[in-house]
Amino acid sequence: MPSFKNLALLFLAAQSTTAHFLLHYPTTIGFSDDDEGTAPCGSFTVDFSTDNITNFHVDSDVIAVESTHPAAIWLFRATLDTTASGNWTDLLPAVSQDSLGAFCEKGIVVPSSWAGQRGVISVVQDATDGLLYQCAAVNFVSGSSNSTPSSCTNVTGLTATFTQASALSSIPASATGSATSTAATGTGTGKSAAGALRPVEYGAFGALSWVVVVGGATVLVALL
Ligand SMILES: *[C@@H]1O[C@H](CO)[C@@H](O)[C@H](O)[C@H]1NC(C)=O
Ligand SMILES: *[C@@H]1O[C@H](CO)[C@@H](O)[C@H](O)[C@H]1NC(C)=O
Ligand SMILES: *[C@@H]1O[C@H](CO)[C@@H](O)[C@H](O)[C@H]1NC(C)=O
Ligand SMILES: [Cu+2]
Protein backbone atom coordinates (compact mmCIF):
# COMPACT_ATOMS: atom_id res chain seq x y z
CA MET A 1 0.00 0.00 0.00
CA PRO A 2 1.49 3.34 -0.97
CA SER A 3 2.53 5.51 1.91
CA PHE A 4 1.18 8.97 2.47
CA LYS A 5 4.55 10.39 1.52
CA ASN A 6 4.58 8.53 -1.79
CA LEU A 7 1.08 9.73 -2.55
CA ALA A 8 2.15 13.26 -1.76
CA LEU A 9 5.11 12.92 -4.11
CA LEU A 10 2.90 11.51 -6.84
CA PHE A 11 0.54 14.40 -6.33
CA LEU A 12 3.38 16.89 -6.60
CA ALA A 13 4.69 15.18 -9.73
CA ALA A 14 1.24 15.26 -11.30
CA GLN A 15 0.88 18.90 -10.36
CA SER A 16 4.19 19.96 -11.76
CA THR A 17 3.71 18.25 -15.09
CA THR A 18 0.79 20.58 -15.71
CA ALA A 19 2.54 23.77 -14.61
CA HIS A 20 4.79 25.18 -17.32
CA PHE A 21 6.72 27.20 -14.80
CA LEU A 22 6.22 28.66 -11.37
CA LEU A 23 7.51 31.92 -9.97
CA HIS A 24 8.26 31.21 -6.31
CA TYR A 25 10.00 34.46 -5.36
CA PRO A 26 9.09 37.29 -5.43
CA THR A 27 5.48 36.19 -4.92
CA THR A 28 3.55 35.91 -8.16
CA ILE A 29 0.41 37.98 -8.71
CA GLY A 30 -1.25 34.82 -10.02
CA PHE A 31 -0.72 31.56 -11.85
CA SER A 32 -2.99 30.03 -14.46
CA ASP A 33 -1.63 27.00 -16.24
CA ASP A 34 -3.92 27.51 -19.23
CA ASP A 35 -3.24 31.22 -19.61
CA GLU A 36 0.43 31.47 -18.67
CA GLY A 37 1.16 32.35 -22.29
CA THR A 38 -0.81 35.60 -22.13
CA ALA A 39 1.51 38.63 -21.95
CA PRO A 40 2.61 40.46 -19.96
CA CYS A 41 1.63 38.65 -16.72
CA GLY A 42 0.23 35.24 -17.63
CA SER A 43 -3.29 36.73 -17.91
CA PHE A 44 -3.22 38.50 -14.53
CA THR A 45 -3.47 42.26 -13.99
CA VAL A 46 -1.25 43.98 -11.48
CA ASP A 47 -3.31 45.49 -8.68
CA PHE A 48 -1.41 46.84 -5.69
CA SER A 49 -4.60 47.02 -3.61
CA THR A 50 -5.04 43.23 -3.70
CA ASP A 51 -1.75 41.67 -4.81
CA ASN A 52 0.71 40.04 -2.45
CA ILE A 53 3.52 42.61 -2.52
CA THR A 54 7.15 41.66 -1.93
CA ASN A 55 9.86 44.04 -0.74
CA PHE A 56 12.60 43.67 -3.36
CA HIS A 57 16.07 44.96 -2.46
CA VAL A 58 17.67 47.04 -5.19
CA ASP A 59 21.29 46.17 -4.39
CA SER A 60 20.83 42.41 -4.20
CA ASP A 61 17.84 40.13 -4.09
CA VAL A 62 16.76 36.82 -5.61
CA ILE A 63 14.35 35.49 -8.22
CA ALA A 64 13.29 31.87 -7.71
CA VAL A 65 11.55 29.88 -10.43
CA GLU A 66 10.77 26.24 -11.14
CA SER A 67 10.53 24.85 -14.63
CA THR A 68 8.79 21.68 -15.70
CA HIS A 69 10.36 21.85 -19.13
CA PRO A 70 13.61 19.97 -19.64
CA ALA A 71 15.32 23.09 -20.95
CA ALA A 72 14.34 26.73 -20.89
CA ILE A 73 15.60 30.21 -21.55
CA TRP A 74 14.68 32.87 -19.01
CA LEU A 75 14.33 36.61 -19.18
CA PHE A 76 14.23 38.51 -15.89
CA ARG A 77 13.11 42.12 -16.17
CA ALA A 78 11.53 44.90 -14.18
CA THR A 79 9.59 48.12 -14.63
CA LEU A 80 8.36 51.05 -12.58
CA ASP A 81 5.22 51.00 -14.70
CA THR A 82 2.75 49.43 -12.28
CA THR A 83 0.46 48.42 -15.13
CA ALA A 84 3.30 46.24 -16.51
CA SER A 85 2.58 47.58 -19.96
CA GLY A 86 6.11 48.62 -20.82
CA ASN A 87 9.32 50.49 -19.87
CA TRP A 88 11.08 47.22 -19.08
CA THR A 89 14.66 47.01 -17.89
CA ASP A 90 16.42 43.69 -18.40
CA LEU A 91 18.00 42.60 -15.12
CA LEU A 92 20.31 40.06 -16.72
CA PRO A 93 21.06 38.79 -20.19
CA ALA A 94 18.83 35.85 -21.13
CA VAL A 95 19.73 32.79 -19.06
CA SER A 96 19.62 29.27 -20.46
CA GLN A 97 18.68 26.57 -17.95
CA ASP A 98 19.73 23.10 -19.01
CA SER A 99 17.60 21.03 -16.67
CA LEU A 100 14.14 20.74 -15.27
CA GLY A 101 13.37 21.92 -11.76
CA ALA A 102 14.20 24.70 -9.36
CA PHE A 103 16.42 27.58 -10.38
CA CYS A 104 17.22 30.59 -8.24
CA GLU A 105 19.25 33.50 -9.51
CA LYS A 106 20.90 35.32 -6.64
CA GLY A 107 22.38 38.80 -6.57
CA ILE A 108 19.77 40.38 -8.82
CA VAL A 109 20.41 44.13 -9.00
CA VAL A 110 17.96 46.84 -10.03
CA PRO A 111 18.81 50.55 -10.42
CA SER A 112 19.33 51.99 -6.92
CA SER A 113 17.21 55.03 -7.80
CA TRP A 114 14.19 52.73 -7.86
CA ALA A 115 14.27 52.31 -4.06
CA GLY A 116 11.11 53.65 -2.50
CA GLN A 117 9.00 53.06 -5.59
CA ARG A 118 6.53 50.40 -6.62
CA GLY A 119 7.10 48.28 -9.66
CA VAL A 120 6.76 44.91 -11.32
CA ILE A 121 9.25 42.07 -11.71
CA SER A 122 8.56 39.99 -14.79
CA VAL A 123 9.81 36.53 -15.62
CA VAL A 124 9.45 35.23 -19.15
CA GLN A 125 10.27 31.67 -20.11
CA ASP A 126 10.96 30.52 -23.65
CA ALA A 127 10.65 26.74 -23.89
CA THR A 128 8.76 24.01 -25.71
CA ASP A 129 5.38 25.63 -25.08
CA GLY A 130 6.49 29.02 -26.36
CA LEU A 131 6.68 32.20 -24.33
CA LEU A 132 5.20 32.05 -20.83
CA TYR A 133 4.83 34.90 -18.34
CA GLN A 134 4.67 35.57 -14.61
CA CYS A 135 4.74 38.87 -12.71
CA ALA A 136 5.34 39.95 -9.15
CA ALA A 137 4.19 43.22 -7.62
CA VAL A 138 7.05 44.65 -5.59
CA ASN A 139 8.12 47.56 -3.44
CA PHE A 140 11.70 48.36 -4.36
CA VAL A 141 13.61 48.94 -1.13
CA SER A 142 17.17 50.08 -0.53
CA GLY A 143 20.03 47.79 0.38
CA SER A 144 20.60 44.07 0.01
CA SER A 145 18.38 41.27 1.16
CA ASN A 146 19.94 39.72 4.26
CA SER A 147 18.01 36.48 4.07
CA THR A 148 17.47 33.95 1.33
CA PRO A 149 13.92 32.63 0.97
CA SER A 150 13.59 28.86 1.39
CA SER A 151 12.23 28.65 -2.15
CA CYS A 152 15.60 29.86 -3.47
CA THR A 153 17.25 26.61 -4.50
CA ASN A 154 18.87 25.05 -7.55
CA VAL A 155 18.01 21.55 -8.70
CA THR A 156 20.96 19.17 -8.43
CA GLY A 157 23.06 19.25 -11.58
CA LEU A 158 21.71 22.58 -12.77
CA THR A 159 23.63 24.39 -15.45
CA ALA A 160 22.70 27.96 -16.23
CA THR A 161 24.48 30.07 -18.80
CA PHE A 162 23.95 33.47 -20.31
CA THR A 163 22.76 33.24 -23.86
CA GLN A 164 21.19 35.22 -26.63
CA ALA A 165 17.51 34.78 -27.29
CA SER A 166 15.92 36.52 -30.21
CA ALA A 167 12.45 35.39 -29.17
CA LEU A 168 12.92 37.02 -25.80
CA SER A 169 14.49 40.24 -27.04
CA SER A 170 11.52 40.85 -29.32
CA ILE A 171 8.69 39.94 -26.95
CA PRO A 172 5.81 42.36 -26.82
CA ALA A 173 5.43 44.28 -23.58
CA SER A 174 1.69 43.79 -23.85
CA ALA A 175 -0.67 41.99 -26.16
CA THR A 176 -0.79 45.06 -28.38
CA GLY A 177 2.19 47.21 -27.47
CA SER A 178 5.84 46.88 -28.34
CA ALA A 179 8.61 46.33 -25.88
CA THR A 180 11.09 48.96 -24.86
CA SER A 181 13.86 47.08 -23.23
CA THR A 182 17.09 48.54 -21.95
CA ALA A 183 20.02 47.03 -20.15
CA ALA A 184 19.80 47.59 -16.41
CA THR A 185 23.30 48.61 -15.63
CA GLY A 186 24.94 48.53 -19.04
CA THR A 187 26.85 45.64 -20.50
CA GLY A 188 29.72 44.67 -18.32
CA THR A 189 28.71 46.23 -15.04
CA GLY A 190 26.70 44.72 -12.25
CA LYS A 191 26.63 41.31 -13.88
CA SER A 192 29.22 39.90 -11.51
CA ALA A 193 26.50 40.15 -8.91
CA ALA A 194 24.88 37.20 -10.65
CA GLY A 195 26.50 34.62 -8.45
CA ALA A 196 28.55 32.14 -10.37
CA LEU A 197 27.88 33.64 -13.77
CA ARG A 198 30.84 35.83 -14.53
CA PRO A 199 31.48 37.74 -17.73
CA VAL A 200 34.97 37.57 -19.12
CA GLU A 201 34.57 39.31 -22.42
CA TYR A 202 32.03 41.54 -24.07
CA GLY A 203 31.01 42.47 -27.57
CA ALA A 204 28.68 45.30 -28.48
CA PHE A 205 25.52 43.31 -28.94
CA GLY A 206 27.04 40.29 -30.56
CA ALA A 207 29.72 38.14 -29.03
CA LEU A 208 29.47 37.38 -25.35
CA SER A 209 31.58 35.00 -23.40
CA TRP A 210 30.95 33.98 -19.85
CA VAL A 211 32.73 31.89 -17.34
CA VAL A 212 30.25 29.62 -15.70
CA VAL A 213 31.12 27.83 -12.50
CA VAL A 214 28.96 24.78 -12.08
CA GLY A 215 29.54 22.49 -9.13
CA GLY A 216 33.17 23.45 -8.93
CA ALA A 217 33.93 22.94 -12.63
CA THR A 218 34.67 26.01 -14.67
CA VAL A 219 33.46 26.10 -18.23
CA LEU A 220 34.10 28.84 -20.74
CA VAL A 221 31.03 29.45 -22.80
CA ALA A 222 31.40 31.44 -25.98
CA LEU A 223 28.28 32.54 -27.75
CA LEU A 224 27.92 34.15 -31.15
C1 LIG B 1 1.52 36.13 0.28
O1 LIG B 1 2.76 35.49 0.10
C2 LIG B 1 3.25 34.84 1.25
C3 LIG B 1 4.62 34.33 0.93
O2 LIG B 1 4.62 33.57 -0.24
C4 LIG B 1 2.27 33.75 1.64
O3 LIG B 1 2.71 33.14 2.82
C5 LIG B 1 0.89 34.34 1.85
O4 LIG B 1 -0.02 33.31 2.09
C6 LIG B 1 0.45 35.12 0.63
N1 LIG B 1 -0.80 35.78 0.91
C7 LIG B 1 -1.78 35.83 0.00
C8 LIG B 1 -3.00 36.58 0.41
O5 LIG B 1 -1.68 35.28 -1.10
C1 LIG C 1 10.53 54.28 -17.00
O1 LIG C 1 11.64 53.81 -16.26
C2 LIG C 1 12.55 54.81 -15.83
C3 LIG C 1 13.69 54.14 -15.12
O2 LIG C 1 14.21 53.09 -15.87
C4 LIG C 1 11.85 55.81 -14.93
O3 LIG C 1 12.72 56.84 -14.59
C5 LIG C 1 10.61 56.35 -15.60
O4 LIG C 1 9.90 57.13 -14.68
C6 LIG C 1 9.74 55.23 -16.10
N1 LIG C 1 8.60 55.75 -16.83
C7 LIG C 1 7.37 55.28 -16.62
C8 LIG C 1 6.31 55.92 -17.46
O5 LIG C 1 7.12 54.41 -15.81
C1 LIG D 1 21.95 28.65 -8.98
O1 LIG D 1 22.85 28.57 -10.06
C2 LIG D 1 23.17 29.83 -10.62
C3 LIG D 1 24.04 29.57 -11.83
O2 LIG D 1 25.13 28.79 -11.53
C4 LIG D 1 23.87 30.69 -9.57
O3 LIG D 1 24.17 31.94 -10.10
C5 LIG D 1 22.95 30.83 -8.37
O4 LIG D 1 23.60 31.55 -7.34
C6 LIG D 1 22.54 29.46 -7.86
N1 LIG D 1 21.54 29.61 -6.82
C7 LIG D 1 21.68 29.11 -5.62
C8 LIG D 1 20.53 29.25 -4.69
O5 LIG D 1 22.70 28.55 -5.26
CU1 LIG E 1 4.60 23.65 -20.46
Side-chain angles (χ1 to χ4, degrees):
M1 186 176 160
S3 71
F4 232 65
K5 191 178 162 193
N6 287 343
L7 282 176
L9 287 173
L10 269 177
F11 176 74
L12 282 176
Q15 285 249 299
S16 50
T17 49
T18 60
H20 306 291
F21 89 85
L22 301 171
L23 172 60
H24 289 310
Y25 195 92
T27 305
T28 182
I29 62 165
F31 170 78
S32 162
D33 196 48
D34 288 344
D35 299 323
E36 200 171 18
T38 303
C41 293
S43 79
F44 290 85
T45 303
V46 181
D47 181 350
F48 275 81
S49 66
T50 55
D51 289 334
N52 201 331
I53 301 163
T54 306
N55 285 335
F56 197 88
H57 297 77
V58 294
D59 291 341
S60 178
D61 216 316
V62 309
I63 298 179
V65 292
E66 180 178 355
S67 177
T68 62
H69 299 137
I73 299 175
W74 300 98
L75 180 65
F76 303 116
R77 52 188 191 148
T79 182
L80 294 175
D81 175 353
T82 53
T83 67
S85 56
N87 205 23
W88 295 106
T89 293
D90 291 347
L91 302 177
L92 287 175
V95 178
S96 174
Q97 175 182 356
D98 185 19
S99 53
L100 149 161
F103 171 42
C104 181
E105 193 66 83
K106 295 169 105 171
I108 297 280
V109 175
V110 304
S112 53
S113 61
W114 291 18
Q117 300 183 69
R118 289 172 162 180
V120 179
I121 302 268
S122 153
V123 178
V124 189
Q125 186 199 64
D126 184 12
T128 49
D129 294 332
L131 297 177
L132 302 167
Y133 303 85
Q134 287 278 279
C135 292
V138 300
N139 285 325
F140 291 109
V141 297
S142 60
S144 301
S145 174
N146 55 15
S147 65
T148 305
S150 56
S151 58
C152 181
T153 59
N154 281 344
V155 66
T156 305
L158 174 95
T159 58
T161 53
F162 288 133
T163 186
Q164 288 206 85
S166 53
L168 289 175
S169 57
S170 60
I171 52 170
S174 69
T176 52
S178 64
T180 53
S181 184
T182 50
T185 48
T187 309
T189 59
K191 301 304 191 294
S192 58
L197 295 170
R198 284 195 281 272
V200 291
E201 194 184 306
Y202 303 93
F205 297 102
L208 287 173
S209 301
W210 304 91
V211 169
V212 183
V213 183
V214 182
T218 301
V219 184
L220 176 65
V221 183
L223 299 156
L224 286 182

